[in-house]
Amino acid sequence: MTRPAGARAAILHGDALRQCGREFDELFALGRGRYVSRAEWEQLFHESKLRTRVHAVADRIDTTVGAFGYACALAMHDIPVLAAGDDRIDLILSGRNTRHSAPDLHRHHCPLPERDVVELPGGIRVTSLSRTIFDVSRLLTLEGAVVAFDAALRRIAWSEADNLYDRDAAAAFRADVASRIAEATGARGIRQARFVAEFADGRAQLPGESLLRLRMWQAHLPEPAPQLRVNFAEGDYALLDLALPSQRRWLEFDGAVKYRDPDMLAGRTAEEVLEAQERRHRRIELATGWRGDRVVWADVRTVTGFASAQRRLSLFP
């Protein structure tokens, strides 16, 4: 499975559909005469499926008076989407509109000033990143909201070149979203949005790390230090996903994607990646004298799952 930025499936319709030479059972229907290769569809991550559906809808309707929003806007901004369906697209329209929703399209009628809209390559209009994060912080699950806000802050403030976090840039983005929250007193989900805006941290590299930090907060564990730098005698360094210096230990989120995604494998086998991870783990232990533990998706997917992980790892407040 691949998760490159902007990835989506090729949409077939009209002449392209007639000339593709595929049997009907080899195709996946997106609706209204739009299809994709079933094999290609099944290899896509959730965000890529949403992007594909956005393009399929934009291809057949006039979107110049609205913008795609909510989870599908996250996907179009290349922000991870957690706990949302991929079979229906959300279009936000300002003011009244007589058009009804369709099986694959939900029309929302609410304020949409032009400052809240950006146009992406291909002419697709989506809500701006700050408007999108404001919306999903209220309306997604708590887990999905934290993952999205963390990823947006990382997009704004983290430098992949030198692994540094621009706290001023993060604070400016957080303040933008917070001002929207302050103006929306009484709106649906606004209490959750206030919490998420304060809790979010752009140092989380992947959704699993965001979920792990949330589960630790829910379990009343000490606040962890994300991406703590450990310097090695050889001159290089490692970043710990979540460190607990007061307990002399750290937690690493071990997602399965790193062992099967071609981009993350970078020409290596899954076994070679695992060996490299184990070498890194031993070096950190030698450099710090701390205990390190790995956490997987099953440990953070639910509160109950994390409670089991707590017992297994002897994690206590």
Side-chain angles (χ1 to χ4, degrees):
M1 301 177 75
T2 58
R3 193 179 239 144
R8 64 183 178 92
I11 299 169
L12 302 170
H13 67 97
D15 290 341
L17 177 61
R18 288 187 288 272
Q19 296 170 7
C20 72
R22 296 181 183 272
E23 298 294 334
F24 186 77
D25 61 1
E26 296 180 278
L27 300 173
F28 180 86
L30 298 174
R32 303 294 181 92
R34 270 67 179 175
Y35 296 84
V36 295
S37 160
R38 183 176 296 277
E40 186 177 4
W41 180 260
E42 291 174 350
Q43 290 298 309
L44 293 177
F45 276 96
H46 182 63
E47 297 84 358
S48 297
K49 291 181 178 179
L50 283 171
R51 283 191 288 270
T52 302
R53 287 194 182 275
V54 165
H55 281 269
V57 169
D59 189 46
R60 72 170 199 261
I61 67 171
D62 178 13
T63 60
T64 58
V65 295
F68 293 101
Y70 310 116
C72 59
L74 284 179
M76 294 301 291
H77 283 294
D78 285 320
I79 298 295
V81 180
L82 193 71
D86 59 35
D87 59 347
R88 197 172 190 184
I89 295 304
D90 296 291
L91 182 67
I92 298 175
L93 298 161
S94 181
R96 297 184 61 82
N97 191 290
T98 58
R99 298 295 301 276
H100 297 293
S101 295
D104 62 341
L105 176 65
H106 189 182
R107 290 180 170 89
H108 303 261
H109 306 290
C110 56
L112 185 68
E114 277 301 308
R115 70 181 180 89
D116 285 355
V117 179
V118 296
E119 186 171 308
L120 302 180
I124 299 214
R125 287 163 52 93
V126 303
T127 51
S128 67
L129 185 57
S130 62
R131 167 64 187 267
T132 302
I133 294 301
F134 163 69
D135 286 338
V136 301
S137 293
R138 296 185 300 116
L139 301 175
L140 287 188
T141 64
L142 175 60
E143 291 83 358
V146 168
V147 165
F149 210 136
D150 278 7
L153 283 173
R154 187 175 182 88
R155 169 77 57 79
I156 295 294
W158 184 264
S159 170
E160 297 292 349
D162 50 21
N163 288 326
L164 294 177
Y165 191 56
D166 186 337
R167 294 182 180 275
D168 291 337
F173 183 81
R174 195 190 306 271
D176 185 352
V177 178
S179 69
R180 296 175 184 272
I181 294 171
E183 294 170 1
T185 301
R188 176 187 168 195
I190 206 67
R191 291 181 63 185
Q192 173 176 289
R194 291 192 191 105
F195 167 77
V196 173
E198 183 177 345
F199 182 77
D201 192 318
R203 289 173 291 178
Q205 183 180 15
L206 296 169
E209 295 172 31
S210 299
L211 277 180
L212 175 55
R213 198 176 83 259
L214 176 62
R215 298 302 183 215
M216 293 176 72
W217 176 83
Q218 291 171 323
H220 307 289
L221 293 174
E223 181 178 357
Q227 303 301 316
L228 183 70
R229 178 166 170 153
V230 172
N231 294 310
F232 297 130
E234 296 80 0
D236 55 342
Y237 65 90
L239 297 176
L240 309 185
D241 287 353
L242 292 171
L244 294 166
S246 64
Q247 297 188 4
R248 295 180 59 80
R249 62 188 305 180
W250 87 94
L251 299 176
E252 293 278 314
F253 181 77
D254 196 17
V257 66
K258 71 177 65 170
Y259 303 112
R260 66 172 187 255
D261 188 309
D263 291 334
M264 299 189 77
L265 288 172
R268 299 170 296 175
T269 66
E271 291 74 17
E272 289 171 335
V273 171
L274 180 59
E275 289 174 2
Q277 290 289 313
E278 290 175 344
R279 287 195 300 271
R280 174 181 177 275
H281 191 96
R282 289 193 295 271
R283 292 183 74 196
I284 294 170
E285 287 183 326
L286 288 172
T288 63
W290 295 1
R291 169 182 169 178
D293 291 291
R294 290 194 174 99
V295 177
V296 298
W297 268 110
D299 297 326
V300 300
R301 189 173 287 116
T302 65
V303 172
T304 303
F306 187 69
S308 297
Q310 270 190 271
R311 293 189 293 271
R312 185 182 79 245
L313 302 175
S314 299
L315 279 171
F316 303 108

